[in-house]
Amino acid sequence: MGMPQHRPLLVTLTALLTFTAPSLSAQAGQPPTPAPTPPSAPAPLALPITTLPPALQSLASIPSILAPGTPGTLAVWGPDAWPLAADASASSIVIAAGHLGEGRLVALSHTGYLDSAAWNDEHTGQLLRTLLTWANPNQPDKPLRIGLIGADTPPAASLPAAATATNIPRDRLTKPDLRSDFDLVLLSGNNLSPAAVDNLTAFVRAGGGLFAAQTAWAWRQGQAADPRDNPTTRLFAPAGIAFTSGYASDARDGRFPLASIADKLPTLHARAALALLQSADTTPALRDQAAHVAPALTAASHLLPDTDVHLRPTLLTLLTERADRLRPTPQAPLKQSQGLDRALVAFRTAAFPDQRDPSADAFPGAVPSDAPRVTESVTINLARPDWHSTGLYAPPGEPITLTFTGKPPAGLRLHIGCHTDELWHLPQWQRTPRIARSWPLAAATSGASFIAPSGGLIYLDVSATIPDSTFALTIAGAVRAPLFVLGQTDPAQWAAEIRNHPAPWAELATDQIIVSVPSSAIRDIADPTAVLQLWNRVASAADELHRAPNHPKRPERFVADVQISAGYMHAGYPIMTHLDAVDDMTQIAKLTAGNWGLFHELGHNHQSGYWTFDGTVEVTVNLFTLYIMEKVIGKPSITGHEALVNRNQKLAKHLDTGAKFDRWKADPFLALTMYTQLLEAFGWEPIREVLWSYHNQPREALPKNDDEKRDQWMTRVSRRVGRNLGPFFQAWGVPTSPAARESLADLPVWFPADWPRPLPQAAADR
C-alpha cells in the first residue's frame, strides 16, 4: 500500500531571515509565501524547501541526542528531504530524512545510531522511534517486517507490537522484489554491491522504509574514490541526500543539542543555503549567516548526481556567470566569506572531472606547451603495495592513454597527482581542494583515456598484492618528470638530462623513502645520491627502533604541498608537508642538520597503539624523532628540540603543583621528559626491545584499554631494566594500578640521579 505524498510548501523563516530572494523561488517553480512584516522592514525570505511533515515536527522539542564516536556529516538538497539534527554549531547535518517514490528514508551519520545504546538512550531513542513510526509503510494493525543488513535487532520496547526482525542474506539482496518480504530495512555499514543498491532503491520506491547508518569518512579512508561512488550515497542521492566524507564536531559531553538549534536546521538544506548566499551578495547584514551555512551548500555541490534536477540547473547557470571568480591560488585564496564561489568550485570539481582546472597553472603547476608528449612502457612489481612512480606527468586537462595486454589485476588503479589532501573544511583554499584523481583499472579496456583536471605525477597503485607477479603497460600523452632512483639512475644522465625534464613536479626515491617536490627545487642538484643515502639511514633507524610486522613493505612517501589538510605537517601515506620543507628534504646540508618535523611524522607511521595511551600520541612518536636525531644526525636527546632544554625546570614546576596527570597529558614535551630520563639512564636497547616485545605476545595478553597500556608499559620496562619504576610513575602522576606496582616489589626502586625534589619515601632505600 502506497503512503501519502507530502506536498511541497515554502518555508518562511521570518525570525531568521528578513529579506526576499525571489530568484531561486521562481526557479523552483514555487511563488514565495507572503508573511506580515512591519512597514519599515523588508519582506522575509521564502526558502525554497518543503515544510517538515507533521509526524516529524515533534523532533524539534527533543533536548539532545547522542553523538556516538565521531559521526560523519550529511548533505541535503532534495525538495522532499529535511535536515533533522546537526552538531552543536548547527553547521553540519548528522541526521536527515526524505521521500523516494512511495517510500521513506532516514540517513544516520554514524553506525552507532543503530546500536542498542542509541535505542536505549531516552532522547535518542525517542527520535529513532519517531522516525521508525514515520518510515513504517504499514497500517497500525499490520505487523512490521524488519530486514537487517549489518544492524542489530532494536530493543523490543522500541518496536511496534508483533514486529519481526530478521537478517537479510547477502544473496537475497541481489534478487529483486525485497518489498514482498520486508516493510522496513535497517542498514548499518557500507558493504553494498551495485545490485544491492539497485534492489534497495527499488524497495524504497515501491513503498518500503529504509534506515541507513554509515560512518562515511571511514569508507573514504585509504582510497581516492569519488565520494559520489559511496554505495549508501548512490542509494540516497535520488532523494537529494548524501553521506559526505566530513566529520561532525562540537559534541558536548558526547551529545548534540537538538531543541536549541532546531530553528537553524532548515538553513542547512542546500537550496536554502543557496538562497541565503545569493542574497548575501547584495545584503551585507546577511553575510555572517550566509558564511555559516555555506559548507552545507558546498557539501551538496560536490555530491550531486549528474541527473539532479533540483539544484544542478541553478549551479550550472551560476558557474557560467561567476567563472572568473573560481580560481583559488596562494595569492588569491577563496575564503569562507566567499561561500557561493566555494560551493561552485566544489560543484565544478565533481560535475566536470574531465575539464581543465583553471587554477592548475598556479598549483600544482603548468606544463610547458612545447613539452613533448611521450609514449613510455612501464612495468611494476605487483608484490609491492601502494604507489609505483612512473617518472611521467599528466598535463592538466589533457588525456593520457593506457594500452596493455590481458586484463589488469583486481586492485590495480591509475592514480594521478601526489597531492591527495582535500581542503574542503579549511577556512581558506589556496588551491582547488581536490586535485588528485584515481581510477580502477580492472574493468578498463586497453586504449582507454583518462583526464586529470589539475594534472599530476602518474602512479600505478597496487591495493591487492600478488607475489612474484608483474604488470606491463604503455602510457601515451604524458610528459617526462624528473625521477632519480638511488642505485638505478645514472648520476651523469641525471645531471645532463633527467633533472631538466619539463614536468613541474619531481621525485627523489630510494627503496625506503620517496620525496615529491617541485621540479624547481632539484634543477640545480647535480647528484642526489648523498641526500638519498642519508634518507635511507633515517628510514632504517625508524625501522630499527620499531616496525610492526604488518607494516606495509613499501617506501614511505613525503609530499610537499602549498596547503595541507591539517597541521604544519601530518603523517599518513603520503606524509604531507608545506613547501617550506622542500629544501630540508632535498639538500644534504639541510637534512644533515636534522628536521624534527620530518622525523616526527615518519615516527607516527611507525607508532603502535599498544604502547601509546591517551595523552601520548604526540609523545611516544618522538621516541623515533629522538632516536633518528641521535643515531643518524648525532644530536643527544636533550638537544634534539629546544623545548627539551629547560626540562628540569618544567619537571620541578610539575611536581610543585601536584603532578597532575591532566597537565602531563596536555604538555607533550613535559611528558617526553619522563621518557628521556629512562633513555639517559638505561640507553636505547631496553626501550627498543620493549617496543618489539609486544609482537611476541598472544593477542589476549596485549593491553585492551588505557589502564592496561600504562600498566604494561611500566612493568615491561621495569622488568627489562631490572628496576621498580612504580614510584617513578607515581611521582610523575601517571596512573598505574596497585596490582601492577605490587608485581614489581622484588625489584629495587629507581629514580633519576638528577630528580629535582626530595625522593618519595618509597625510594628512600633504593
Side-chain angles (χ1 to χ4, degrees), residues 498-510:
I498 298 174
R499 64 176 171 171
N500 295 314
H501 284 168
W505 281 78
E507 292 190 319
L508 305 180
T510 80

Side-chain angles (χ1 to χ4, degrees), residues 497-557:
E497 174 191 356
I498 298 174
R499 64 176 171 171
N500 295 314
H501 284 168
W505 281 78
E507 292 190 319
L508 305 180
T510 80
D511 59 356
Q512 298 186 76
I513 294 285
I514 301 174
V515 298
S516 304
V517 297
S519 294
S520 57
I522 56 82
R523 300 291 190 203
D524 295 331
I525 299 178
D527 184 356
T529 297
V531 74
L532 290 177
Q533 288 174 338
L534 182 54
W535 266 122
N536 265 359
R537 291 173 57 201
V538 168
S540 295
D543 286 349
E544 180 180 287
L545 184 59
H546 180 263
R547 185 181 180 95
N550 60 352
H551 193 90
K553 293 179 172 59
R554 67 186 183 197
E556 297 287 356
R557 286 183 175 270

Side-chain angles (χ1 to χ4, degrees), residues 651 655 677 727-728 731-732 751-760 766:
L651 170 56
L655 297 175
Q677 288 175 326
F728 175 65
W732 266 103
F751 269 82
D754 60 349
W755 190 256
R757 292 292 180 266
L759 296 179
R766 64 187 175 101

Side-chain angles (χ1 to χ4, degrees), residues 401-472:
T401 302
L402 271 57
T403 56
F404 43 80
T405 301
K407 182 180 179 180
L412 182 63
R413 302 181 69 91
L414 171 68
H415 185 94
I416 298 179
C418 57
H419 302 98
T420 54
D421 270 15
E422 297 194 8
L423 314 179
W424 305 109
H425 61 292
L426 296 181
Q428 67 172 16
W429 300 341
Q430 297 181 38
R431 62 165 172 82
T432 298
R434 185 197 308 150
I435 59 177
R437 292 289 310 276
S438 180
W439 300 262
L441 293 182
T445 58
S446 183
S449 294
F450 305 86
I451 297 175
S454 301
L457 289 166
I458 299 172
Y459 305 96
L460 294 172
D461 183 7
V462 177
S463 60
T465 58
I466 305 174
D468 303 319
S469 184
T470 60
F471 187 76

Side-chain angles (χ1 to χ4, degrees), residues 659-681:
K660 302 296 185 183
F661 185 48
D662 284 345
R663 186 189 303 112
W664 186 94
K665 291 192 297 181
D667 186 340
F669 283 101
L670 173 66
L672 185 60
T673 296
M674 182 178 179
Y675 290 78
T676 61
Q677 288 175 326
L678 295 171
L679 292 173
E680 291 174 357

Side-chain angles (χ1 to χ4, degrees), residues 246-273:
Y247 304 83
S249 59
D250 299 320
R252 297 172 184 170
D253 297 323
R255 304 188 71 83
F256 291 136
L258 212 166
S260 63
I261 64 167
D263 58 348
K264 299 178 182 178
L265 288 172
T267 60
L268 298 183
H269 191 289
R271 297 172 72 209

Side-chain angles (χ1 to χ4, degrees), residues 4 14-15 20-21 46 176 178 239 241 318 322 395 406 438 500 502 535 546-547 557 559 592 629 640 670:
T14 309
T20 302
L178 284 170
I241 300 173
L318 292 170
R322 303 169 74 99
S438 180
N500 295 314
W535 266 122
H546 180 263
R547 185 181 180 95
R557 286 183 175 270
V559 172
T592 300
M629 282 289 194
L670 173 66

Side-chain angles (χ1 to χ4, degrees), residues 41 51 87 99 101 118 341 390 392 458 510 528 565 621 653 674 680 683 739:
T51 54
D87 60 11
H99 287 285
D341 293 335
T390 64
L392 297 172
I458 299 172
T510 80
S565 61
V621 61
K653 181 178 179 180
M674 182 178 179
E680 291 174 357

